[in-house]
Amino acid sequence: MSPRNSSGEWEKPFWQQPGWLLSAGFFLVLALLGAFVVFADDEGTKAGPGPGATAAPSADPAQGAPSGKPSNGTEDPRPAGCRTDDSDQAVPPKSPADLKWKVYRTDLVPVSATAGPLLYKGAVWSCFARTPLGAVLALHSITSKMSGSEWKAVADQQVARGPGKDAFVATRSKEADESAAGAPGSDGTYVGFSMLTYTKDQATAMILIRIADGKYGAATASVVWEDGDWKLRPTLKGSLTENITFVGGPEGFVLWGGEDGA
């Protein structure tokens, strides 16, 4: 497929894009099976989102409004054993004091004893606070589980119902599982995030990654509140992320710290 405009942007299946080939192992976690993603390398994208950035649409409009309530109209109950403090509805300006890093395969995933995940059952890390921080941590946790052999259990329990989930599962089922090789963080490192939109029912954020060659990339993904927890919302085509963009550095992002952090 030829470039679509003179700025250097193009659309290809993600596995054929040059930027993908530079960091296939780590970006597979975030963009596995996306129908199309865009790598932008012009000056406008290298500056990062910046404090004045405006939010892109959080999902294809045809996906429909996120559902935070069951069909009877009452508030979703939290799962058994899951209780969180949901009072802080502000987007955190810095990394939380209790942030730590938990190893999953070759990834270091940020976790918090107060914002989640609080429940661990194999690859399913669940029970996140219904807060901006809880939503961002859910994005990191869920997307990091989609390349290995445990992806199906995670998708069954932590991907929001709808055509996007159906498309993701149908496509992912045809692909081989990635084997875990290398030290934690060897493929890349989660660095921080930028919240684009947030309500108590949905959130969209950019996840900042530093890949092995020192470059920075940002992937946009969304979660919705469903059945008492944050669930990943794919696009209608089944992509876990809406786009991946190379950025010049961490400016404009909230950066993770914490024990064993980058």
Side-chain angles (χ1 to χ4, degrees):
M1 186 176 297
S2 60
R4 65 182 182 179
N5 60 40
S6 60
S7 69
E9 295 183 356
W10 65 92
E11 289 188 353
K12 289 184 180 181
F14 61 81
W15 57 87
Q16 296 178 10
Q17 296 183 10
W20 172 270
L21 298 176
L22 292 174
S23 55
F26 195 67
F27 274 117
L28 177 63
V29 171
L30 293 174
L32 181 68
L33 307 178
F36 292 94
V37 295
V38 177
F39 285 90
D41 197 32
D42 55 273
E43 290 300 319
T45 60
K46 289 183 179 179
T54 57
S58 61
D60 191 319
Q63 184 81 356
S67 173
K69 297 182 180 181
S71 58
N72 63 8
T74 61
E75 282 294 321
D76 282 344
R78 300 307 305 262
C82 175
R83 294 293 181 270
T84 59
D85 181 355
D86 302 339
S87 59
D88 189 356
Q89 292 297 304
V91 176
K94 61 181 181 180
S95 181
D98 67 351
L99 188 104
K100 294 187 177 181
W101 297 86
K102 185 172 177 65
V103 175
Y104 177 76
R105 290 162 55 87
T106 60
D107 291 335
L108 288 168
V109 183
V111 300
S112 162
T114 53
L118 303 187
L119 299 178
Y120 296 87
K121 186 177 182 180
V124 178
W125 302 359
S126 62
C127 187
F128 295 90
R130 195 172 185 177
T131 64
L133 180 58
V136 168
L137 292 172
L139 278 173
H140 284 72
S141 176
I142 300 169
T143 55
S144 67
K145 313 295 177 49
M146 294 304 186
S147 62
S149 60
E150 297 175 296
W151 74 269
K152 188 63 164 60
V154 178
D156 285 345
Q157 299 180 52
Q158 296 190 288
V159 175
R161 295 183 294 271
K165 178 177 182 176
D166 296 340
F168 169 73
V169 171
T171 309
R172 176 65 179 88
S173 297
K174 300 175 184 177
E175 301 296 328
D177 299 331
E178 286 288 306
S179 60
S186 58
D187 287 330
T189 307
Y190 292 117
V191 178
F193 71 93
S194 175
M195 185 67 75
L196 300 181
T197 65
Y198 173 79
T199 70
K200 293 187 75 173
D201 291 328
Q202 73 83 32
T204 298
M206 295 178 71
I207 298 173
L208 181 65
I209 307 145
R210 185 174 60 244
I211 56 181
D213 62 2
K215 293 181 180 179
Y216 288 88
T220 302
S222 299
V223 287
V224 296
W225 189 260
E226 182 180 279
D227 298 333
D229 210 353
W230 291 113
K231 305 294 178 70
L232 187 68
R233 179 175 61 187
T235 67
L236 280 177
K237 292 181 179 180
S239 174
L240 299 183
T241 59
E242 296 171 43
N243 60 70
I244 295 176
T245 303
F246 284 116
V247 296
E251 294 79 12
F253 290 87
V254 178
L255 303 182
W256 297 124
E259 182 178 319
D260 297 325

